[in-house]
Amino acid sequence: MGYRAKLSILSAFAVLLIGIFLFMGLGSNWDYALPRRTVKILAIIITSIAIGFSTLVFQTITNNRILTPNILGLDSLYLLIQTFLVFLFGSTHVTMLNKNVNFAISLCFMMLFALIFYQLLFKRAGKDIYLLLLIGLILGTFFGSLTSFMQVLIDPNEFLIVQDRMFASINNVNTDLLYLSIVGIFLVGLYTLKYAKYLDVLALGREHAVNLGVDFDLVVKRLLIIVAVLVSISTALTGPMTFLGLLVINVAREFFKTYKHSILTAGTILFALIALVGGQLLIEKVFTFSTTLSVVINFIGGIYFIYLLLKENRSW
Amino acid sequence: MVEVKNVSKKYGDKLVVEDVTLKIPKQKITAFIGPNGAGKSTLLSMISRLIKKDEGEIYIDGQEIGKCKSNDLAKKISILKQSNHLNLRLTVRELVSFGRFPYSQGRLTKEDERHVDEAIRYMGLEEIEHQFLDQLSGGQKQRAFIAMVIAQDTDYILLDEPLNNLDMKHSVQIMKMLRKLVDELGKTIVIVLHDINFASVYADYIVAMKNGKMVHVGQTEQVINHSTLKHVYDMDINIQNINNCKICVYFS
């Protein structure tokens, strides 16, 4: 089966799921339900693109199949920024009330962090993936601890507001951000077009990429910023989803068995879409909201991750 | 012509390449020889911009490499390092096609396909061109990587110990292939070799390095002699003339 056929099947399946999600049991109150469901679907689509593509790009620049951008502590940083803003200004300040302002601040900090991380680590320890992992992990934990420390100190009412931010989910989409995110994704897409052709070559590793005329440092830096923006968007919109990226990208790799990023990108995004819409359907219809999507995704993702570790162990 | 002027490289406090000045002649095979840790690979990596030099200048056809666009350089000079582990599952043909990236930026034209075909034919890989690299033997894999460099179609080809882990037959095959590249296609090849007999038989020029310094340079006949090799390797090497080739007997 060719790539095209596989992609068509996946797209058809995704469209089918979206159709079910939008129109199932719509009933007479459709003018109430449909816009709400549409918002959810839009959020899911944006999240799928952001998570799928950022994970793919991150794995390509680190040359590793079991990493996700979370290893840099990017999503813990987002939570830290939210808590810090409440801690500093209180929940009624403009930085919390105006979600667009809030988003812009978070985005700037995360891009700044990605750049610093790049300068300090990627350049110096670029070859030493273990150091990178270790420091990323420690930073993630550090951000997490700082977050809970500040949460203990703030007013309980304010804590509730922070918590609402932290457990963003698809049931609780940050609607105000939706349009900003769509614009954001669109701009990132335009910016990425220029660098997309380098992805395949980057996957060969630094030395081959330089030999083939890629300005490695510059391209990696730009791509890392793209990753930071995408992680910000998806975390702000639907909350942290640790394993989703890892899950879908590896399923896509197994399914397509190719190195071509044009196909992998489309595949990863479609798988993410299917996982999220399918998962959300499960949550709403089977579990009747007794659990959240991120729990399901992390459960399945965790199992798959262990499987991956065992399998990678025996070299493939 | 490649010109290296007063180039140095430090790792921490240790000078691994010290003040090397060198001209590499065109359309010849130049071999870098010397003991482990002499700085041969580092020098090669600096010439190919894989690592930054701390001091000095390197000119390729009169242009300083730091001032060239990376993509333009990729059409002039190519390098193959000794370890070529890939995280990707590629077929031979896909790998060789990557060699065309500086020209095609990922979209292969008919012209590119022709170069790929030629490179595959040149390295005798037609029968295995659709096999995956991880299913190949070390020799086949090495040939596939060399084919990628040939497809890149650069005037200068730098090879870092391409004979590593290859048996005698494949080593000789590859050296003959390189000789052909120089004699028939007019390429300039710079190669790091550990077996001085391959250098002695196939290279036109030899650059001998020791402790980061270039200690001898010249035509092969001038460098392969008892006193020079004694200086480079600290070994008494007996040199015999067999079939008009100078063969170094260093095993005992």
Side-chain angles (χ1 to χ4, degrees):
Chain A
M1 202 166 24
Y3 300 134
R4 240 165 236 275
K6 284 181 177 176
L7 277 178
S8 313
I9 291 172
L10 276 185
S11 315
F13 193 57
V15 169
L16 182 74
L17 276 177
I18 291 175
I20 293 176
F21 188 84
L22 281 179
F23 299 112
M24 192 163 97
L26 204 51
S28 56
N29 285 330
W30 64 271
D31 52 340
Y32 173 77
L34 201 57
R36 264 142 234 278
R37 292 186 185 185
T38 314
V39 165
K40 280 186 186 175
I41 280 293
L42 279 178
I44 287 177
I45 293 174
I46 301 276
T47 311
S48 305
I49 296 173
I51 290 185
F53 191 60
S54 64
T55 314
L56 179 66
V57 169
F58 191 72
Q59 290 196 343
T60 297
I61 54 186
T62 51
N63 245 311
N64 193 304
R65 266 179 26 121
I66 52 175
L67 289 184
T68 71
N70 303 304
I71 207 73
L72 298 183
L74 276 175
D75 52 355
S76 334
L77 180 67
Y78 179 81
L79 301 182
L80 176 65
I81 295 168
Q82 294 305 315
T83 314
F84 187 65
L85 287 177
V86 174
F87 182 76
L88 211 61
F89 302 119
S91 59
T92 48
H93 191 264
V94 61
T95 51
M96 275 323 262
L97 287 180
N98 187 332
K99 290 189 176 171
N100 290 337
V101 173
N102 177 289
F103 184 63
I105 292 175
S106 311
L107 199 62
C108 289
F109 270 109
M110 286 175 77
M111 278 161 64
L112 191 71
F113 173 73
L115 275 182
I116 294 172
F117 201 91
Y118 169 82
Q119 289 294 353
L120 288 182
L121 286 168
F122 253 80
K123 265 194 164 162
R124 235 172 274 171
K127 281 174 199 145
D128 193 355
I129 198 82
Y130 297 104
L131 185 67
L132 194 76
L133 281 180
L134 191 66
I135 294 184
L137 221 61
I138 292 172
L139 277 179
T141 319
F142 174 65
F143 293 152
S145 311
L146 263 185
T147 308
S148 34
F149 174 67
M150 280 189 257
Q151 284 171 353
V152 173
L153 293 182
I154 55 179
D155 184 273
N157 292 318
E158 310 228 294
F159 172 66
L160 279 180
I161 289 175
V162 177
Q163 208 184 24
D164 178 55
R165 281 295 166 80
M166 298 180 80
F167 292 98
S169 72
I170 293 182
N171 303 317
N172 180 16
V173 171
N174 243 335
T175 8
D176 304 349
L177 282 185
L178 195 58
Y179 304 106
L180 195 63
S181 305
I182 293 175
V183 176
I185 286 277
F186 185 69
L187 291 179
V188 168
L190 280 184
Y191 188 63
T192 313
L193 278 183
K194 203 173 143 197
Y195 298 99
K197 64 184 180 192
Y198 293 125
L199 286 171
D200 287 340
V201 182
L202 286 178
L204 291 177
R206 180 180 177 276
E207 284 173 347
H208 285 297
V210 172
N211 174 40
L212 293 172
V214 177
D215 191 342
F216 189 83
D217 291 344
L218 179 88
V219 172
V220 166
K221 197 151 88 182
R222 296 281 154 83
L223 287 174
L224 209 59
I225 292 175
I226 291 173
V227 169
V229 174
L230 289 175
V231 172
S232 312
I233 289 177
S234 80
T235 315
L237 209 56
T238 51
M241 254 178 268
T242 320
F243 278 118
L244 181 69
L246 189 72
L247 181 69
V248 293
I249 196 167
N250 280 294
V251 172
R253 280 192 212 275
E254 289 293 316
F255 189 69
F256 288 103
K257 293 207 187 307
T258 179
Y259 65 93
K260 291 197 179 87
H261 283 74
S262 49
I263 292 155
L264 278 181
T265 306
T268 312
I269 291 171
L270 283 173
F271 270 116
L273 205 55
I274 289 169
L276 284 176
V277 180
Q280 188 62 19
L281 272 175
L282 271 182
I283 301 293
E284 292 187 6
K285 309 296 173 199
V286 180
F287 295 109
T288 54
F289 292 105
S290 60
T291 179
T292 64
L293 183 58
S294 49
V295 172
V296 175
I297 296 278
N298 283 350
F299 180 67
I300 300 173
I303 292 173
Y304 188 71
F305 189 70
I306 293 171
Y307 164 74
L308 254 187
L309 284 179
L310 293 175
K311 191 169 147 255
E312 292 274 307
N313 210 7
R314 304 190 303 265
S315 93
W316 48 293
Chain B
M1 191 163 63
V2 176
E3 266 188 282
V4 178
K5 279 186 185 165
N6 307 101
V7 164
S8 299
K9 175 79 191 173
K10 260 187 195 168
Y11 287 133
D13 288 336
K14 193 175 181 289
L15 266 169
V16 280
V17 172
E18 197 179 337
D19 199 20
V20 170
T21 300
L22 171 69
K23 278 185 185 168
I24 294 167
K26 246 190 153 164
Q27 302 186 357
K28 301 278 180 209
I29 296 184
T30 304
F32 285 12
I33 63 167
N36 289 335
K40 312 178 291 287
S41 296
T42 311
L43 182 59
L44 208 65
S45 294
M46 282 191 288
I47 296 176
S48 60
R49 79 194 173 301
L50 284 190
I51 55 180
K52 287 197 177 85
K53 53 192 184 301
D54 291 337
E55 275 167 48
E57 286 137 32
I58 294 169
Y59 295 92
I60 291 174
D61 289 340
Q63 279 182 303
E64 220 286 323
I65 55 163
K67 297 192 178 93
C68 284
K69 278 176 106 180
S70 193
N71 198 52
D72 294 338
L73 270 180
K75 295 176 189 169
K76 264 193 196 152
I77 189 164
S78 55
I79 183 164
L80 186 63
K81 296 281 290 182
Q82 42 184 316
S83 64
N84 287 296
H85 176 74
L86 289 183
N87 274 327
L88 302 182
R89 239 173 96 84
L90 294 178
T91 65
V92 172
R93 195 179 175 85
E94 284 167 342
L95 179 78
V96 178
S97 304
F98 269 116
R100 296 305 296 170
F101 186 80
Y103 305 89
S104 67
Q105 302 292 304
R107 283 163 205 258
L108 294 186
T109 61
K110 279 217 175 86
E111 170 82 9
D112 293 318
E113 298 282 0
R114 194 176 59 76
H115 278 279
V116 172
D117 284 335
E118 235 166 54
I120 286 175
R121 193 153 20 90
Y122 216 82
M123 293 311 285
L125 294 164
E126 295 104 324
E127 278 166 24
I128 53 169
E129 68 171 314
H130 294 298
Q131 282 185 33
F132 283 100
L133 283 177
D134 49 7
Q135 298 163 347
L136 303 182
S137 72
Q140 290 169 322
K141 222 187 268 182
Q142 191 68 308
R143 267 154 57 204
F145 276 106
I146 295 179
M148 167 173 141
V149 169
I150 294 175
Q152 204 178 331
D153 194 24
T154 53
D155 286 343
Y156 302 94
I157 299 173
L158 313 184
L159 301 162
D160 193 352
E161 291 182 40
L163 308 183
N164 225 2
N165 298 325
L166 293 188
D167 59 24
M168 293 174 287
K169 183 183 161 204
H170 287 110
S171 300
V172 171
Q173 242 177 28
I174 284 183
M175 288 312 293
K176 284 196 169 144
M177 207 79 72
L178 296 180
R179 198 63 251 182
K180 240 169 73 182
L181 279 175
V182 171
D183 296 340
E184 290 176 8
L185 303 181
K187 306 285 183 194
T188 306
I189 290 180
V190 185
I191 182 169
V192 174
L193 283 174
H194 263 303
D195 188 332
I196 42 175
N197 286 326
F198 276 116
S200 164
V201 174
Y202 289 97
D204 301 304
Y205 287 87
I206 290 185
V207 175
M209 293 186 68
K210 188 183 181 184
N211 296 331
K213 290 187 195 116
M214 196 178 76
V215 285
H216 292 282
V217 59
Q219 296 201 332
T220 305
E221 303 85 68
Q222 295 160 355
V223 177
I224 301 290
N225 61 58
H226 183 266
S227 67
T228 308
L229 292 180
K230 166 112 188 158
H231 179 211
V232 176
Y233 289 101
D234 292 321
M235 273 169 85
D236 276 312
I237 295 173
N238 178 7
I239 298 167
Q240 300 281 333
N241 228 322
I242 302 174
N243 298 341
N244 280 334
C245 296
K246 282 184 172 178
I247 301 297
C248 309
V249 185
Y250 53 82
F251 302 101
S252 54

